Amino acid sequence: MDVQETPTAGAWGEWNPTEDSARPLRGKHRVLKPRGGLARSSTVLGVGVIAAVGAGGIATAQDRPQVSISMPDLLGGGSGHSGSGGDAVRTAAAADTGTGTGVAGGTETPAAAQQGGDAGEALLSRILLQAESQQDADQAQARADAERTAREAAAQEAKAQKEAADKEAETARAAAEQAAAAEKEAAEKAAAEQTATKAATGSGSGSGSQSAGGWSLPTSSYTLTSHYGVAGSMWSSGYHTGLDFAAPTGTPVKAVGSGTVISAGWSGAYGYRIVLKLDDGTEIWYCHLSSMSVTSGSVGAGETIGRVGATGNVTGAHLHLEVRKGGSTVDPLAWLGSKGLDV
Protein backbone atom coordinates (compact mmCIF):
# COMPACT_ATOMS: atom_id res chain seq x y z
CA MET A 1 0.00 0.00 0.00
CA ASP A 2 1.31 3.46 -0.94
CA VAL A 3 2.16 5.78 1.96
CA GLN A 4 1.19 9.36 1.59
CA GLU A 5 3.54 12.00 2.70
CA THR A 6 2.88 13.67 5.97
CA PRO A 7 1.82 17.24 5.47
CA THR A 8 4.17 19.80 6.78
CA ALA A 9 3.30 22.46 9.28
CA GLY A 10 1.12 25.05 7.76
CA ALA A 11 0.16 22.68 5.04
CA TRP A 12 -3.00 21.49 6.83
CA GLY A 13 -6.09 22.43 5.07
CA GLU A 14 -9.73 21.32 5.03
CA TRP A 15 -10.01 17.59 4.59
CA ASN A 16 -13.08 16.03 3.10
CA PRO A 17 -12.96 12.24 3.05
CA THR A 18 -14.06 10.49 -0.08
CA GLU A 19 -14.84 6.92 -0.94
CA ASP A 20 -11.27 6.50 -2.13
CA SER A 21 -9.63 8.17 0.86
CA ALA A 22 -11.75 6.56 3.58
CA ARG A 23 -10.73 3.10 4.71
CA PRO A 24 -13.46 0.48 4.70
CA LEU A 25 -14.46 -1.11 8.01
CA ARG A 26 -12.95 -4.46 8.65
CA GLY A 27 -14.57 -7.36 10.57
CA LYS A 28 -18.20 -8.10 11.41
CA HIS A 29 -20.21 -5.30 12.93
CA ARG A 30 -23.85 -5.49 14.06
CA VAL A 31 -26.00 -2.65 15.26
CA LEU A 32 -27.97 -3.85 18.26
CA LYS A 33 -31.63 -3.09 18.27
CA PRO A 34 -33.11 -1.76 21.51
CA ARG A 35 -34.82 -4.40 23.63
CA GLY A 36 -36.93 -4.35 26.78
CA GLY A 37 -40.07 -2.40 27.59
CA LEU A 38 -42.89 -2.11 25.13
CA ALA A 39 -41.24 -0.06 22.42
CA ARG A 40 -43.07 -2.07 19.82
CA SER A 41 -46.11 -2.76 21.99
CA SER A 42 -48.62 -3.47 19.25
CA THR A 43 -46.52 -6.06 17.45
CA VAL A 44 -45.19 -7.62 20.63
CA LEU A 45 -48.60 -7.87 22.22
CA GLY A 46 -50.15 -9.45 19.14
CA VAL A 47 -47.36 -12.00 18.72
CA GLY A 48 -47.40 -12.72 22.48
CA VAL A 49 -51.09 -13.40 22.51
CA ILE A 50 -50.80 -15.63 19.42
CA ALA A 51 -47.91 -17.54 20.97
CA ALA A 52 -49.62 -17.91 24.36
CA VAL A 53 -52.94 -18.98 22.98
CA GLY A 54 -51.27 -21.25 20.47
CA ALA A 55 -49.30 -22.91 23.26
CA GLY A 56 -52.39 -23.31 25.49
CA GLY A 57 -54.79 -24.40 22.81
CA ILE A 58 -57.08 -22.18 20.77
CA ALA A 59 -59.92 -24.71 20.88
CA THR A 60 -60.16 -24.51 24.66
CA ALA A 61 -60.40 -20.71 24.63
CA GLN A 62 -63.12 -20.79 22.03
CA ASP A 63 -65.36 -22.80 24.37
CA ARG A 64 -65.51 -19.94 26.87
CA PRO A 65 -67.75 -16.88 26.59
CA GLN A 66 -66.22 -13.76 25.10
CA VAL A 67 -64.99 -11.23 27.68
CA SER A 68 -63.11 -7.97 27.54
CA ILE A 69 -59.46 -8.22 28.66
CA SER A 70 -57.64 -5.18 29.97
CA MET A 71 -53.95 -4.42 29.27
CA PRO A 72 -52.77 -4.86 32.92
CA ASP A 73 -54.20 -8.40 32.97
CA LEU A 74 -52.20 -9.34 29.87
CA LEU A 75 -48.99 -7.99 31.31
CA GLY A 76 -49.51 -10.11 34.42
CA GLY A 77 -48.74 -9.63 38.08
CA GLY A 78 -49.61 -5.95 38.13
CA SER A 79 -45.90 -4.90 38.51
CA GLY A 80 -43.64 -4.23 35.55
CA HIS A 81 -43.12 -7.06 33.10
CA SER A 82 -41.86 -9.72 35.52
CA GLY A 83 -45.00 -12.01 35.47
CA SER A 84 -45.96 -14.73 33.10
CA GLY A 85 -47.40 -12.15 30.74
CA GLY A 86 -43.99 -10.42 30.69
CA ASP A 87 -42.35 -13.68 29.75
CA ALA A 88 -44.75 -14.02 26.85
CA VAL A 89 -43.96 -10.47 25.70
CA ARG A 90 -40.23 -11.03 25.93
CA THR A 91 -40.53 -14.28 24.03
CA ALA A 92 -42.48 -12.55 21.29
CA ALA A 93 -39.97 -9.67 21.19
CA ALA A 94 -37.09 -12.09 20.79
CA ALA A 95 -38.91 -13.77 17.97
CA ASP A 96 -39.49 -10.42 16.27
CA THR A 97 -35.81 -9.40 16.36
CA GLY A 98 -34.59 -12.75 15.19
CA THR A 99 -32.43 -13.31 18.31
CA GLY A 100 -34.73 -15.77 20.06
CA THR A 101 -36.62 -18.88 19.21
CA GLY A 102 -40.32 -19.52 18.64
CA VAL A 103 -42.41 -18.36 15.70
CA ALA A 104 -39.90 -16.06 13.91
CA GLY A 105 -36.63 -17.45 15.11
CA GLY A 106 -36.62 -20.78 13.39
CA THR A 107 -35.94 -23.87 15.44
CA GLU A 108 -37.43 -23.79 18.98
CA THR A 109 -35.56 -25.52 21.77
CA PRO A 110 -37.43 -27.78 24.23
CA ALA A 111 -36.79 -25.38 27.13
CA ALA A 112 -38.15 -22.47 25.14
CA ALA A 113 -41.14 -24.53 24.06
CA GLN A 114 -41.81 -25.50 27.67
CA GLN A 115 -41.48 -21.87 28.75
CA GLY A 116 -43.88 -20.77 25.99
CA GLY A 117 -46.36 -23.45 26.99
CA ASP A 118 -46.25 -22.35 30.63
CA ALA A 119 -46.80 -18.75 29.64
CA GLY A 120 -49.72 -19.73 27.44
CA GLU A 121 -51.28 -21.82 30.18
CA ALA A 122 -50.89 -18.95 32.65
CA LEU A 123 -52.47 -16.47 30.24
CA LEU A 124 -55.27 -18.92 29.43
CA SER A 125 -55.88 -19.47 33.15
CA ARG A 126 -56.13 -15.71 33.73
CA ILE A 127 -58.55 -15.39 30.79
CA LEU A 128 -60.73 -18.18 32.15
CA LEU A 129 -60.66 -16.73 35.67
CA GLN A 130 -61.68 -13.34 34.35
CA ALA A 131 -64.48 -14.92 32.31
CA GLU A 132 -65.73 -16.83 35.36
CA SER A 133 -65.53 -13.67 37.45
CA GLN A 134 -67.58 -11.79 34.86
CA GLN A 135 -70.08 -14.66 34.72
CA ASP A 136 -70.40 -14.64 38.54
CA ALA A 137 -70.95 -10.88 38.46
CA ASP A 138 -73.68 -11.30 35.83
CA GLN A 139 -75.35 -14.01 37.91
CA ALA A 140 -75.18 -11.85 41.05
CA GLN A 141 -76.74 -8.96 39.14
CA ALA A 142 -79.47 -11.26 37.83
CA ARG A 143 -80.21 -12.48 41.37
CA ALA A 144 -80.34 -8.89 42.64
CA ASP A 145 -82.73 -7.95 39.82
CA ALA A 146 -84.93 -10.97 40.61
CA GLU A 147 -85.01 -10.11 44.32
CA ARG A 148 -85.88 -6.48 43.54
CA THR A 149 -88.66 -7.63 41.22
CA ALA A 150 -89.97 -9.99 43.92
CA ARG A 151 -89.96 -7.19 46.50
CA GLU A 152 -91.81 -4.89 44.15
CA ALA A 153 -94.37 -7.62 43.41
CA ALA A 154 -94.84 -8.27 47.15
CA ALA A 155 -95.31 -4.56 47.79
CA GLN A 156 -97.89 -4.35 45.01
CA GLU A 157 -99.72 -7.40 46.39
CA ALA A 158 -99.73 -5.95 49.93
CA LYS A 159 -101.07 -2.67 48.58
CA ALA A 160 -103.81 -4.48 46.68
CA GLN A 161 -104.75 -6.51 49.77
CA LYS A 162 -104.92 -3.34 51.88
CA GLU A 163 -107.12 -1.64 49.30
CA ALA A 164 -109.38 -4.71 49.19
CA ALA A 165 -109.61 -4.80 53.01
CA ASP A 166 -110.41 -1.07 53.15
CA LYS A 167 -113.06 -1.51 50.50
CA GLU A 168 -114.56 -4.48 52.36
CA ALA A 169 -114.59 -2.53 55.64
CA GLU A 170 -116.25 0.41 53.91
CA THR A 171 -118.86 -1.90 52.40
CA ALA A 172 -119.52 -3.51 55.80
CA ARG A 173 -119.83 -0.09 57.43
CA ALA A 174 -122.29 1.08 54.79
CA ALA A 175 -124.29 -2.14 55.17
CA ALA A 176 -124.36 -1.72 58.97
CA GLU A 177 -125.54 1.87 58.65
CA GLN A 178 -128.20 0.81 56.18
CA ALA A 179 -129.33 -2.02 58.48
CA ALA A 180 -129.45 0.34 61.47
CA ALA A 181 -131.50 2.84 59.50
CA ALA A 182 -133.89 0.10 58.35
CA GLU A 183 -134.20 -1.20 61.92
CA LYS A 184 -134.92 2.27 63.23
CA GLU A 185 -137.53 2.81 60.54
CA ALA A 186 -139.12 -0.54 61.35
CA ALA A 187 -139.19 0.30 65.07
CA GLU A 188 -140.81 3.65 64.40
CA LYS A 189 -143.36 1.98 62.15
CA ALA A 190 -144.11 -0.67 64.77
CA ALA A 191 -144.52 1.98 67.45
CA ALA A 192 -146.92 3.89 65.25
CA GLU A 193 -148.92 0.74 64.54
CA GLN A 194 -148.97 -0.11 68.24
CA THR A 195 -150.26 3.34 69.10
CA ALA A 196 -152.97 2.99 66.49
CA THR A 197 -153.91 -0.44 67.84
CA LYS A 198 -154.09 0.85 71.40
CA ALA A 199 -156.28 3.69 70.29
CA ALA A 200 -158.60 1.30 68.46
CA THR A 201 -158.81 -1.51 71.07
CA GLY A 202 -157.90 0.25 74.29
CA SER A 203 -155.14 -2.25 75.04
CA GLY A 204 -151.40 -2.15 74.85
CA SER A 205 -148.21 -1.86 76.88
CA GLY A 206 -146.16 0.99 78.29
CA SER A 207 -142.90 1.93 79.95
CA GLY A 208 -144.44 3.84 82.85
CA SER A 209 -142.40 6.94 82.11
CA GLN A 210 -145.38 9.05 81.08
CA SER A 211 -146.77 11.72 83.36
CA ALA A 212 -148.97 14.74 82.82
CA GLY A 213 -150.26 17.58 85.02
CA GLY A 214 -149.28 15.96 88.31
CA TRP A 215 -150.48 12.49 87.29
CA SER A 216 -148.46 9.31 86.73
CA LEU A 217 -148.97 5.80 85.38
CA PRO A 218 -149.33 3.18 88.15
CA THR A 219 -146.45 0.90 87.00
CA SER A 220 -143.89 0.38 84.26
CA SER A 221 -142.85 -2.33 81.72
CA TYR A 222 -146.34 -3.71 81.66
CA THR A 223 -148.78 -5.35 79.31
CA LEU A 224 -152.53 -4.81 79.58
CA THR A 225 -154.37 -8.11 79.88
CA SER A 226 -157.89 -7.95 81.33
CA HIS A 227 -159.94 -4.79 80.78
CA TYR A 228 -162.75 -3.29 82.81
CA GLY A 229 -166.26 -4.85 82.32
CA VAL A 230 -165.10 -8.12 80.79
CA ALA A 231 -167.54 -10.89 81.87
CA GLY A 232 -166.30 -14.12 83.37
CA SER A 233 -166.68 -16.67 86.14
CA MET A 234 -163.34 -15.70 87.61
CA TRP A 235 -164.78 -12.56 89.19
CA SER A 236 -167.33 -12.67 92.02
CA SER A 237 -169.37 -9.85 90.54
CA GLY A 238 -169.60 -11.62 87.21
CA TYR A 239 -167.45 -9.08 85.37
CA HIS A 240 -163.98 -7.54 85.73
CA THR A 241 -164.07 -4.45 87.94
CA GLY A 242 -160.59 -3.13 87.17
CA LEU A 243 -157.68 -3.02 84.69
CA ASP A 244 -154.84 -5.58 84.87
CA PHE A 245 -151.19 -4.50 84.27
CA ALA A 246 -149.15 -7.68 83.80
CA ALA A 247 -145.53 -7.11 84.90
CA PRO A 248 -142.71 -9.06 86.56
CA THR A 249 -142.92 -9.57 90.28
CA GLY A 250 -141.22 -6.75 92.15
CA THR A 251 -141.93 -4.07 89.53
CA PRO A 252 -142.53 -0.75 91.38
CA VAL A 253 -146.15 0.39 91.90
CA LYS A 254 -146.63 4.18 91.97
CA ALA A 255 -149.25 6.63 93.16
CA VAL A 256 -151.18 7.95 90.19
CA GLY A 257 -151.71 11.26 91.94
CA SER A 258 -151.15 13.02 95.26
CA GLY A 259 -153.30 11.72 98.13
CA THR A 260 -153.37 9.72 101.36
CA VAL A 261 -152.96 5.99 101.94
CA ILE A 262 -156.07 5.04 103.95
CA SER A 263 -155.71 1.26 103.92
CA ALA A 264 -152.88 -1.28 103.45
CA GLY A 265 -152.94 -5.03 104.13
CA TRP A 266 -154.39 -8.41 103.23
CA SER A 267 -157.79 -8.33 101.48
CA GLY A 268 -158.84 -11.91 100.60
CA ALA A 269 -159.16 -12.46 96.83
CA TYR A 270 -157.36 -9.11 96.26
CA GLY A 271 -154.32 -10.33 98.11
CA TYR A 272 -152.17 -7.53 99.53
CA ARG A 273 -153.95 -4.27 98.73
CA ILE A 274 -153.27 -0.54 99.16
CA VAL A 275 -156.15 1.99 98.97
CA LEU A 276 -155.07 5.53 97.98
CA LYS A 277 -157.61 8.32 98.42
CA LEU A 278 -156.94 11.27 96.12
CA ASP A 279 -157.58 14.88 97.01
CA ASP A 280 -160.90 14.88 95.13
CA GLY A 281 -162.14 11.81 97.08
CA THR A 282 -161.51 9.24 94.29
CA GLU A 283 -160.16 5.94 95.61
CA ILE A 284 -157.46 3.97 93.76
CA TRP A 285 -157.11 0.31 94.70
CA TYR A 286 -153.72 -1.45 94.13
CA CYS A 287 -154.27 -5.23 94.45
CA HIS A 288 -152.25 -8.54 94.37
CA LEU A 289 -149.05 -6.76 95.64
CA SER A 290 -145.99 -8.71 96.63
CA SER A 291 -144.98 -6.02 99.14
CA MET A 292 -146.12 -2.63 100.43
CA SER A 293 -143.71 0.29 100.81
CA VAL A 294 -146.20 2.82 102.23
CA THR A 295 -149.02 1.75 104.57
CA SER A 296 -150.26 5.19 105.67
CA GLY A 297 -149.80 8.91 105.26
CA SER A 298 -149.60 11.32 102.35
CA VAL A 299 -147.85 10.51 99.06
CA GLY A 300 -147.15 12.41 95.87
CA ALA A 301 -147.75 11.52 92.22
CA GLY A 302 -145.18 9.03 90.96
CA GLU A 303 -144.04 7.95 94.44
CA THR A 304 -143.46 4.18 94.85
CA ILE A 305 -145.91 2.68 97.33
CA GLY A 306 -145.53 -1.08 96.67
CA ARG A 307 -144.40 -3.88 94.32
CA VAL A 308 -146.18 -6.00 91.73
CA GLY A 309 -146.96 -9.53 92.92
CA ALA A 310 -149.27 -12.57 92.55
CA THR A 311 -151.07 -12.72 95.90
CA GLY A 312 -154.79 -13.55 96.23
CA ASN A 313 -156.92 -14.96 93.46
CA VAL A 314 -154.57 -14.70 90.45
CA THR A 315 -153.14 -16.76 87.61
CA GLY A 316 -149.92 -14.71 87.29
CA ALA A 317 -148.05 -11.65 88.54
CA HIS A 318 -149.91 -8.44 87.73
CA LEU A 319 -151.32 -5.23 89.22
CA HIS A 320 -155.10 -5.10 89.46
CA LEU A 321 -156.02 -1.40 89.45
CA GLU A 322 -159.52 -0.23 90.39
CA VAL A 323 -160.86 3.33 90.29
CA ARG A 324 -163.87 4.00 92.56
CA LYS A 325 -165.87 7.19 92.71
CA GLY A 326 -168.71 7.48 95.29
CA GLY A 327 -168.35 3.78 96.09
CA SER A 328 -168.84 2.62 92.46
CA THR A 329 -166.18 1.38 90.07
CA VAL A 330 -165.37 3.21 86.83
CA ASP A 331 -163.26 2.21 83.82
CA PRO A 332 -159.58 2.82 84.87
CA LEU A 333 -158.45 3.13 81.23
CA ALA A 334 -160.90 5.94 80.53
CA TRP A 335 -160.15 7.62 83.86
CA LEU A 336 -156.36 7.58 83.27
CA GLY A 337 -156.91 8.91 79.76
CA SER A 338 -158.94 11.78 81.21
CA LYS A 339 -155.84 12.75 83.23
CA GLY A 340 -153.74 13.00 80.06
CA LEU A 341 -151.96 9.66 80.56
CA ASP A 342 -151.31 7.39 77.54
CA VAL A 343 -151.72 3.88 78.83
Side-chain angles (χ1 to χ4, degrees):
M1 182 179 65
D2 295 337
V3 178
Q4 296 180 356
E5 295 181 359
T6 303
T8 60
W12 295 99
E14 180 179 359
W15 181 65
N16 294 319
T18 63
E19 183 178 359
D20 296 334
S21 62
R23 294 180 180 182
L25 294 176
R26 297 180 181 274
K28 295 182 179 180
H29 298 274
R30 183 177 59 184
V31 179
L32 296 179
K33 297 180 181 180
R35 297 180 61 187
L38 295 177
R40 300 172 64 184
S41 59
S42 299
T43 303
V44 171
L45 178 60
V47 174
V49 171
I50 293 174
V53 175
I58 296 177
T60 303
Q62 289 177 345
D63 294 336
R64 298 289 180 174
Q66 296 183 0
V67 295
S68 58
I69 304 175
S70 59
M71 181 65 73
D73 290 337
L74 290 176
L75 296 180
S79 59
H81 311 297
S82 61
S84 61
D87 295 338
V89 172
R90 284 195 299 272
T91 301
D96 185 50
T97 57
T99 60
T101 61
V103 177
T107 303
E108 183 177 5
T109 63
Q114 180 67 29
Q115 182 178 6
D118 294 342
E121 291 293 337
L123 179 59
L124 177 61
S125 177
R126 293 182 63 83
I127 293 173
L128 297 180
L129 288 176
Q130 188 170 359
E132 293 176 356
S133 176
Q134 182 66 32
Q135 185 177 7
D136 292 341
D138 294 341
Q139 293 176 352
Q141 183 64 34
R143 286 194 299 269
D145 294 340
E147 292 176 357
R148 184 178 65 255
T149 302
R151 287 194 300 270
E152 293 176 353
Q156 291 292 336
E157 184 177 0
K159 182 178 179 182
Q161 291 178 353
K162 183 177 182 302
E163 292 177 353
D166 294 341
K167 184 177 181 180
E168 184 177 357
E170 180 65 20
T171 303
R173 185 185 63 81
E177 291 179 353
Q178 185 177 1
E183 183 178 357
K184 181 179 178 182
E185 183 179 357
E188 292 176 351
K189 183 178 180 180
E193 292 177 353
Q194 185 178 11
T195 301
T197 302
K198 287 168 60 178
T201 63
S203 63
S205 62
S207 62
S209 61
Q210 295 180 354
S211 61
W215 302 95
S216 176
L217 289 174
T219 188
S220 60
S221 301
Y222 60 87
T223 299
L224 297 179
T225 54
S226 297
H227 291 264
Y228 178 79
V230 177
S233 59
M234 295 178 58
W235 301 286
S236 58
S237 60
Y239 66 95
H240 195 224
T241 57
L243 181 64
D244 289 347
F245 295 80
T249 299
T251 303
V253 174
K254 302 176 182 179
V256 295
S258 58
T260 304
V261 175
I262 60 174
S263 175
W266 182 264
S267 182
Y270 287 107
Y272 288 106
R273 180 191 68 175
I274 294 176
V275 178
L276 173 64
K277 188 175 182 179
L278 302 179
D279 296 337
D280 63 357
T282 304
E283 292 182 1
I284 309 297
W285 290 14
Y286 300 88
C287 306
H288 308 305
L289 302 178
S290 62
S291 64
M292 298 175 292
S293 303
V294 179
T295 57
S296 62
S298 299
V299 294
E303 183 178 346
T304 298
I305 59 176
R307 301 282 174 174
V308 172
T311 59
N313 186 17
V314 297
T315 57
H318 69 280
L319 169 65
H320 174 83
L321 184 73
E322 286 190 9
V323 179
R324 292 176 176 261
K325 299 183 69 173
S328 300
T329 60
V330 296
D331 186 357
L333 185 62
W335 184 86
L336 291 171
S338 67
K339 304 303 181 184
L341 297 174
D342 185 12
V343 182

